[in-house]
Amino acid sequence: MSDRLSPASLAQLPASVARPRHVPARHGAGIVHLGVGAFHRAHQAVYTDAALAAAGGDWRIDGIALRSPRIADELNPQEGLYTLIERGEDGAAARIIGSIRRVIAAARDPDATLAALSAPETRIVSLTVTEKAYGIDRARGCVDPNHPAVAADLSRPHRPKGVLGLLCEGLRLRRERGLPPFTVLCCDNLPDNGGLLRLGLTDFAARLDRALSAWIEAEVACPSTMVDRITPAPTGETRALAQTLTGLVDLAAVETEPFAQWVIEDRFPSGRPAWEQAGVIFTADVRPFEAMKLRMLNGSHSLMAYAGLLCGHRHVRDAMRDAALAGLVRRHLAAAATTLDPAVGIDLGHYADALMRRFANPAIAHELAQIAMDGTEKLPQRILEPALHALTHGQPLRPFAFAVAAWMRYCLGRRDDGTHHDLQDPRAEAIAAATRGAGGDARAIVRGLSALPGLFPARLAQDAGWQQAVEDSLSGMLKQGMAAVVRAEAAAMPAGGL
Ligand code: CS2
């Protein structure tokens, strides 16, 4: 029987496994992180681990598990240690990460959760909670009072469960105790994520206490970030591989690709770890990086998820082995690149080439279904905003229309072979209502889904050329099946890259 990963068992690790280059127990916590999923463990916690090794400081992370307490039960017995497995074409490398101090399960321990948020040593609260958890109505620019967590927290603000409620109550307690606020660091794939969260937070607070909202407005920094690392959900195989590589049992192991990128606006009034020594890019304006990543990486991911699943593929790497689909991914990258501001200083052709290689990584089993989830939360920034840009600048629309048609086809909940899939989307009911009765009528489906409140920019949804392009693609998908349409679409593509 192998031992469990813990500070005591570190000595048993083979020399091939890198261990923390700092002594974790010597560093206090300075960050509270909401949402201790695989992405956090493969990204921000890794950068923080490297910053602790390079420059020290009391910057370890107290994680808050918002949904299931499982990760707390997995990580706490290991004193926060876990294995990061980087998987590239030439093999797998394991490294032990020591930046997480403990995980609090919010539902089980609400007092400890609020105590961490209001502790004097907490200077940053970072978040990876997924797009749908915020409860912000992006089209209207205010909180969504019907969002379940927002509604619950507005009615019981001192016992918050959701993201805005927790941040707001943590800040209220700090203000009451005369403590400086924490910096709020949003690490989800949302456009202008810091600005958006700031807007949600001040509006949420204003519904409870205007003076608190004004204090947040004046005192709380919400720098925007661009985060990137392709991280599949860990499975039993991840844990088995961790055990093979380290000789130890680790219930919280994660696997990820070798590439990682983090771009942050440098606004941290209460300080921050020396993340620049860990490779973070600090900049005054994250927006161009964010638009590049959301439109190119995430946009082509979404295209691949909807078209790929309906072609019968399971993982991103399988979709990339389908030459016709890979061709459409390449086309999408080129179309997305034309909508971007070239000022960012990154060669978009090289960026697209690197994305094609990252997607094709045979060692990463990234489920297309994971990417297909929550389409209504993802489509605006990934596909619809660049499509609107293309429309207003006379640039090619067809790649975006094709991606939207693939999403609409996926929304119908059945494959070409008649099997059914569940639509995992917070607006699944509204989607079902919008397509009910449309049968196989592409026009009715496009009309119904385009009219979902707040989803499509009005100018795009009302454009006859756009509507027709989506309808043509969807009609082909319904009549000929996704695989045939993907082949035909790829064959019709003009030759040439970016
Ligand atoms: C993916 C992202 O699940 C998804 O929708 O597109 O999680 C993607 O893998 C990351 O943003 C990569 O950095």
Side-chain angles (χ1 to χ4, degrees), residues 39 43 131 189 227-231 257 293 297-299 301-302 358 366-367 370-373 378 382:
F39 182 65
H43 191 274
E131 298 89 337
N189 284 317
V227 292
D228 188 10
R229 192 163 216 188
I230 291 173
T231 307
E257 62 173 341
K293 194 257 170 174
L297 190 159
N298 297 114
H301 247 179
S302 290
R358 290 171 62 195
H366 195 189
E367 295 268 359
Q370 189 183 333
I371 302 168
M373 269 182 2
K378 294 175 174 175
R382 296 179 178 205

Side-chain angles (χ1 to χ4, degrees), residues 276-409:
E276 73 286 357
Q277 296 198 39
V280 170
I281 300 170
F282 282 97
T283 168
D285 187 4
V286 172
R287 279 171 305 182
F289 292 95
E290 199 175 57
M292 173 185 83
K293 194 257 170 174
L294 289 171
R295 294 179 184 187
M296 291 183 72
L297 190 159
N298 297 114
S300 55
H301 247 179
S302 290
L303 159 71
M304 223 184 311
Y306 302 120
L309 283 167
L310 292 169
C311 284
H313 303 306
R314 176 166 173 198
H315 295 119
V316 171
R317 64 186 179 196
D318 311 325
M320 292 299 289
R321 278 193 210 113
D322 175 334
L325 191 48
L328 295 187
V329 170
R330 171 62 88 179
R331 176 182 78 163
H332 194 93
L333 289 171
T338 60
T339 71
L340 295 169
D341 176 359
V344 63
I346 295 181
D347 180 319
L348 296 178
H350 290 163
Y351 187 69
D353 291 342
L355 288 178
M356 293 296 283
R357 280 195 301 276
R358 290 171 62 195
F359 293 157
N361 184 346
I364 295 286
H366 195 189
E367 295 268 359
L368 291 167
Q370 189 183 333
I371 302 168
M373 269 182 2
D374 302 340
T376 55
E377 294 281 333
K378 294 175 174 175
L379 242 49
Q381 60 275 21
R382 296 179 178 205
I383 312 277
L384 305 178
E385 280 171 21
L388 179 61
H389 183 284
L391 176 72
T392 49
H393 291 77
Q395 291 158 347
L397 268 185
R398 190 170 166 126
F400 301 111
F402 188 87
V404 168
W407 169 71
M408 291 182 168
R409 174 67 192 83

